[in-house]
Amino acid sequence: MRLTEVSPTTDNCCLLNRCFLNNPLANVVVIGAQWGDEGKGKITDLLSRSADVVVRYQGGVNAGHTVVVNDQTFKLHLIPSGILYPNTDCIIGSGTVIDPKVLIEELDMLDKLGVSTSHLFISESAHVTMPYHRMIDQASEERRGDHKIGTTGRGIGPTYADKSERTGIRILDLMDPEGMKKQLRWTVNYKNVILEKLYNLPHLDPEEVIAEYQVYADRLRPFVADCSLKIYDAYQQHRNILFEGAQGTLLDLDHGTYPYVTSSNPVAGGACVGTGVGPTMIDRVIGVAKAYTTRVGEGPFPTELHDEMGVALCERGAEFGTTTGRRRRCGWFDAVIGRYAVRINGLDCLAVTKLDILDEVDEIKVCVAYEIDGHESKDFPTNARQFSRCNPVYKTLPGWKQSTIHCRTLEDLPPKALDYLKFLASIVEVPIAIVSLGAERDETIIVEDPIHGPKRALLYSNGESQAMSA
């Protein structure tokens, strides 16, 4: 059946109508549909093959993307994954916060590996992480004691706080040597009062900070641009734009599990604010979710496993943070937060990653609802205290007990693995477009290319794989 022939009364019409079959090109937002660490780096890398421009729109060095190409591993924190494609422009948008030292280290790493960075652009409006941000972040987290949030200690929160307080340093400030000296002398002395009086930390020498950041400014100067204008020009030229978020939906400052969240907006709406584009420029939103669930840092986690299975998922999935190396907490797939991610982001489809990690599991559980104070709910509670009391209501599915690592089509999958994916699509109520079965680029089933439209078929929420044609 052609999608254009589907009757408006069809149960799946609300999903089918979102497939943009008449638009061969699309501007796409890639978001994390869980607590981050879903494998967005690989999915962004895959989609970058079809993109002309890749834009990072929020977060800082607290994020980490790992991409494996031909047995070579690239660990990126600020530079978009699309940098590995020489003809793809990469932009770090104004919604990000940039630690120049880390960014330069990434540039040097890519240079040593033979990857050109001549197509990288940095927004002049992006805010800069300073030494006092890192010091305040670490000292503040330590003082929280039992109320720790679980930050990376990289100064992200304090950088965003200064942005809101209007005392921040932006990339464009670094580009003006005399203006930078004047601003940093005042700002560093202001922060020294906080460092010394509140945290009992040694003060910073303003002149040393100025000298350090002048070196950074000189190195980054060739990359600085009006990135909102560059993105708009690309849009006017009908170039494909891929917007890349960091972290995940449940870590969003406004819509996540507050206060155990990040300091920016990883949700799809953040792409507009963090890059300077209007919402009408966005065509599609793809969410990335693991076939199970992980979380790093503090905060409630209803499906967390504290048994041997939790340890096995961590070890098989190499669940250690790219940025901090921290061990990730592991649990079963949570369809309640999956549906919440669909709603908050307006997801068109899902990319399911790390399906292969479940290859040896006898039985697989999926959380289909929460039991809260004696009542069952299929909706995500925005009340943090209520969320901490949620107990998962599980549906158990049989494992497939065979390797999926070499599967490249849906037909290659073991029947029970395909049944598991169909169930996830059904319970989360969104089609699955991509299935990742390993870290390498080619260890992937691409059911549909969300940028260039349908490649073959989508795994639909009614559990059927329906053939499509444009």
Side-chain angles (χ1 to χ4, degrees):
M1 179 188 295
R2 291 176 180 268
L3 284 178
T4 52
E5 297 172 357
V6 176
S7 166
T9 60
T10 303
D11 290 341
N12 282 325
C13 187
C14 60
L15 294 175
L16 301 178
N17 284 344
R18 289 192 250 158
C19 289
F20 297 94
L21 287 184
N22 295 323
N23 180 12
L25 307 176
N27 299 325
V28 177
V29 180
V30 179
I31 63 95
Q34 296 163 320
W35 272 288
D37 307 311
E38 300 96 346
K40 295 183 297 299
K42 174 181 174 177
I43 301 304
T44 303
D45 173 66
L46 284 170
L47 296 179
S48 295
R49 294 181 303 184
S50 303
D52 300 305
V53 182
V54 180
V55 188
R56 167 76 178 276
Y57 63 83
Q58 51 77 222
V61 297
N62 55 338
H65 291 334
T66 301
V67 180
V68 180
V69 182
N70 298 326
D71 295 324
Q72 194 169 42
T73 300
F74 299 86
K75 293 190 176 183
L76 303 170
H77 299 276
L78 286 166
I79 298 176
S81 306
I83 199 70
L84 303 179
Y85 293 91
N87 297 320
T88 301
D89 287 343
C90 291
I91 294 174
I92 301 176
S94 61
T96 57
V97 292
I98 296 174
D99 186 324
K101 183 175 185 293
V102 175
L103 178 54
I104 290 169
E105 288 173 353
E106 286 190 29
L107 290 170
D108 291 341
M109 178 267 292
L110 290 170
D111 183 59
K112 289 179 181 178
L113 294 174
V115 177
S116 172
T117 55
S118 61
H119 51 299
L120 174 69
F121 302 93
I122 303 168
S123 172
E124 60 186 5
S125 300
H127 279 250
V128 178
T129 297
M130 306 297 295
Y132 47 77
H133 290 137
R134 292 188 292 272
M135 296 169 70
I136 290 172
D137 191 5
Q138 295 164 16
S140 175
E141 181 76 349
E142 185 64 29
R143 282 206 171 190
R144 289 177 181 271
D146 294 338
H147 299 283
K148 287 183 179 180
I149 295 173
T151 76
T152 60
R154 302 300 180 92
I156 308 303
T159 308
Y160 277 114
D162 278 7
K163 178 179 179 178
S164 297
E165 194 183 36
R166 291 160 291 181
T167 58
I169 307 295
R170 297 192 291 177
I171 289 291
L172 62 86
D173 296 319
L174 298 188
M175 298 301 106
D176 175 12
E178 292 306 314
M180 178 179 69
K181 290 177 183 178
K182 183 177 179 180
Q183 188 170 1
L184 276 180
R185 285 186 181 116
W186 181 89
T187 304
V188 173
N189 284 322
Y190 171 70
K191 294 296 181 180
N192 276 338
V193 176
I194 298 173
L195 292 172
E196 293 176 325
K197 302 298 183 182
L198 183 58
Y199 295 112
N200 196 31
L201 291 172
H203 75 275
L204 293 166
D205 184 336
E207 301 308 316
E208 290 182 2
V209 175
I210 290 169
E212 178 185 358
Y213 278 74
Q214 278 183 327
V215 174
Y216 299 154
D218 291 340
R219 176 68 189 279
L220 297 179
R221 196 178 307 277
F223 301 97
V224 178
D226 181 346
C227 289
S228 175
L229 179 59
K230 289 194 72 68
I231 296 168
Y232 187 72
D233 286 345
Y235 174 76
Q236 293 288 81
Q237 296 163 15
H238 305 289
R239 303 178 75 199
N240 292 329
I241 306 169
L242 183 64
F243 297 89
E244 173 189 16
Q247 288 91 33
T249 299
L250 274 294
L251 291 180
D252 187 88
L253 181 60
D254 291 289
H255 304 289
T257 50
Y258 191 91
Y260 304 102
V261 293
T262 193
S263 301
S264 59
N265 294 108
V267 295
C272 294
V273 179
T275 60
V277 304
T280 54
M281 288 174 59
I282 306 298
D283 295 313
R284 303 194 65 176
V285 184
I286 178 171
V288 184
K290 281 177 183 166
Y292 49 101
T293 308
T294 63
R295 177 169 197 172
V296 69
E298 307 297 324
F301 183 1
T303 66
E304 183 174 10
L305 295 168
H306 300 281
D307 56 11
E308 293 180 359
M309 180 55 66
V311 174
L313 289 176
C314 181
E315 293 178 350
R316 293 175 192 166
E319 296 296 353
F320 300 92
T322 302
T323 299
T324 63
R326 288 184 295 180
R327 188 184 187 93
R328 296 174 186 144
R329 301 153 65 190
C330 297
W332 296 119
F333 187 91
D334 189 330
V336 179
I337 67 173
R339 287 191 297 269
Y340 180 70
V342 171
R343 171 164 64 89
I344 292 296
N345 296 287
L347 296 186
D348 295 291
C349 53
L350 271 182
V352 176
T353 63
K354 293 197 170 184
L355 182 70
D356 56 299
I357 304 305
L358 300 178
D359 283 353
E360 301 304 317
V361 179
D362 294 313
E363 291 185 335
I364 303 169
K365 294 183 179 182
V366 175
C367 173
V368 297
Y370 294 149
E371 186 277 320
I372 310 173
D373 300 331
H375 302 282
E376 187 171 306
S377 175
K378 293 183 178 180
D379 296 317
F380 177 78
T382 55
N383 184 310
R385 292 176 181 171
Q386 191 179 39
F387 184 55
S388 67
R389 298 196 302 274
C390 287
N391 294 306
V393 177
Y394 284 121
K395 178 176 177 62
T396 302
L397 290 86
W400 43 93
K401 300 291 290 182
Q402 61 186 101
S403 176
T404 59
I405 195 74
H406 298 296
C407 297
R408 297 296 177 266
T409 69
L410 294 177
E411 291 78 10
D412 293 339
L413 288 170
K416 291 179 181 178
L418 185 58
D419 288 343
Y420 180 68
L421 291 173
K422 289 179 179 180
F423 181 75
L424 295 189
S426 175
I427 197 68
V428 176
E429 301 175 356
V430 74
I432 294 173
I434 297 172
V435 182
S436 174
L437 303 159
E440 289 277 358
R441 277 178 178 169
D442 66 342
E443 294 174 338
T444 311
I445 298 173
I446 300 179
V447 187
E448 177 200 357
D449 183 335
I451 292 181
H452 279 299
K455 181 174 181 177
R456 191 171 53 82
L458 271 177
L459 192 61
Y460 274 91
S461 65
N462 66 355
E464 298 297 329
S465 179
Q466 306 226 0
M468 301 192 302
S469 85

